[in-house]
Amino acid sequence: MRIIVATTNKKKFKEMQRILEREGIKAVFPEERIEVEERGNSFLENACIKAEAYYEYFNTPVIADDSGLVVDALDGYPGIYSSRFYSLEFGGKEKLIGSPDVVNVKKLLKLLKGQKNRKARFVAVVFFRGKEAGVFASAECEGIILEEPRGDKGFGYDPVFQPLGFDKSMAELEPWEKDSISHRGKALKKLSLLLKSCGKLL
Ligand code: ITT
């Protein structure tokens, strides 16, 4: 099965490709960048909006991922705004100097300075859109926010996220280790099972 991944994020794509390959699904990066306004109020809505937009354009099966970091002490922020947290009024806007990932992490650490409750979770909703219908799956990965970034693997908030039961940050884990516990790894495995059991509908 060959599926287009409805994303503009190359690092997210690499992870999805790696995970889907193990499930026997060939994932390809879109040949053209599609501008999609993520106007939804939930991960599910945004995943569905992205999948629909890419399906409409390419007219071929697609999988979209909408994901983010939910921090308890910040009332669930950055949540669905994780990729552009630096630019939100919430917690004060940060100037974009360098990559958004670095500025997002800087803002998060600033807001959590001195905060004892560092509980957080990554959430992913993955949405498959086929010929007749769509299906989705979701998963979470629990952990805490570290005081300082550690490691250089992964992307986004990985250097400051320590998954439950580990003494390493997500960015210090090997790719296969991250995939086995990550929100995205677990959600895509569920989705692949769904596709195998209801493939004829799609
Ligand atoms: P597309 O919408 O084009 O797929 P995006 O990066 O904007 O790309 P999202 O809207 O789903 O994707 O935002 C996801 C953000 O959440 C991502 O940019 C990171 O900041 C964060 N995030 C999600 N999964 C992550 C992970 O596994 N590790 C670290 N940060 C992650």
Side-chain angles (χ1 to χ4, degrees):
M1 196 185 230
R2 178 185 174 276
I3 296 179
I4 292 179
V5 178
T7 187
T8 54
N9 183 332
K10 281 242 158 115
K11 290 186 175 168
K12 188 200 263 189
F13 169 74
K14 283 274 165 219
E15 277 193 12
M16 292 177 74
Q17 187 182 43
R18 188 170 76 211
I19 298 162
L20 289 168
E21 195 174 11
R22 252 178 268 127
E23 301 296 319
I25 297 171
K26 184 174 165 48
V28 295
F29 194 70
E31 280 161 19
E32 283 167 71
R33 190 188 169 101
I34 312 291
E35 291 304 331
V36 184
E37 195 200 334
E38 294 185 29
R39 55 187 186 280
N41 290 314
S42 65
F43 292 111
L44 177 56
E45 265 185 271
N46 284 335
C48 176
I49 289 168
K50 285 188 258 190
E52 280 299 323
Y54 277 74
Y55 183 79
E56 211 165 274
Y57 190 85
F58 290 103
N59 199 30
T60 191
V62 304
I63 293 179
D65 159 300
D66 200 66
S67 48
L69 181 69
V70 173
V71 178
D72 284 359
L74 300 180
D75 291 332
Y77 276 91
I80 59 170
Y81 309 106
S82 291
S83 64
R84 52 185 176 91
F85 188 39
Y86 70 89
S87 68
L88 293 192
E89 296 287 353
F90 176 92
K93 280 188 187 190
E94 289 283 332
K95 269 203 188 117
L96 183 58
I97 301 167
S99 87
D101 281 358
V102 171
V103 190
N104 284 335
V105 164
K106 187 178 148 208
K107 175 168 171 177
L108 178 67
L109 292 183
K110 202 155 114 184
L111 292 177
L112 289 183
K113 207 168 169 64
Q115 173 60 252
K116 290 233 160 56
N117 178 6
R118 307 193 69 93
K119 274 197 201 162
R121 66 203 54 81
F122 276 124
V123 178
V125 175
V126 290
F127 195 104
F128 171 89
R129 171 68 153 96
K131 213 164 148 198
E132 306 289 344
V135 285
F136 76 93
S138 65
E140 297 186 357
C141 177
E142 297 278 347
I144 54 160
I145 304 300
L146 296 166
E147 308 268 350
E148 296 287 337
R150 278 164 51 180
D152 57 6
K153 300 185 181 77
F155 69 101
Y157 299 89
D158 282 344
V160 288
F161 184 86
Q162 179 174 297
L164 211 68
F166 287 77
D167 60 2
K168 289 175 177 177
S169 80
M170 199 74 123
E172 292 176 310
L173 297 183
E174 293 305 324
W176 64 267
E177 269 182 306
K178 176 176 177 183
D179 297 346
S180 69
I181 57 154
S182 82
H183 47 315
R184 183 166 299 105
K186 292 187 286 188
L188 282 173
K189 271 170 218 156
K190 286 190 204 170
L191 188 71
S192 142
L193 280 176
L194 272 174
L195 292 178
K196 281 167 196 157
S197 54
C198 56
K200 283 204 187 86
L201 291 175
L202 306 159

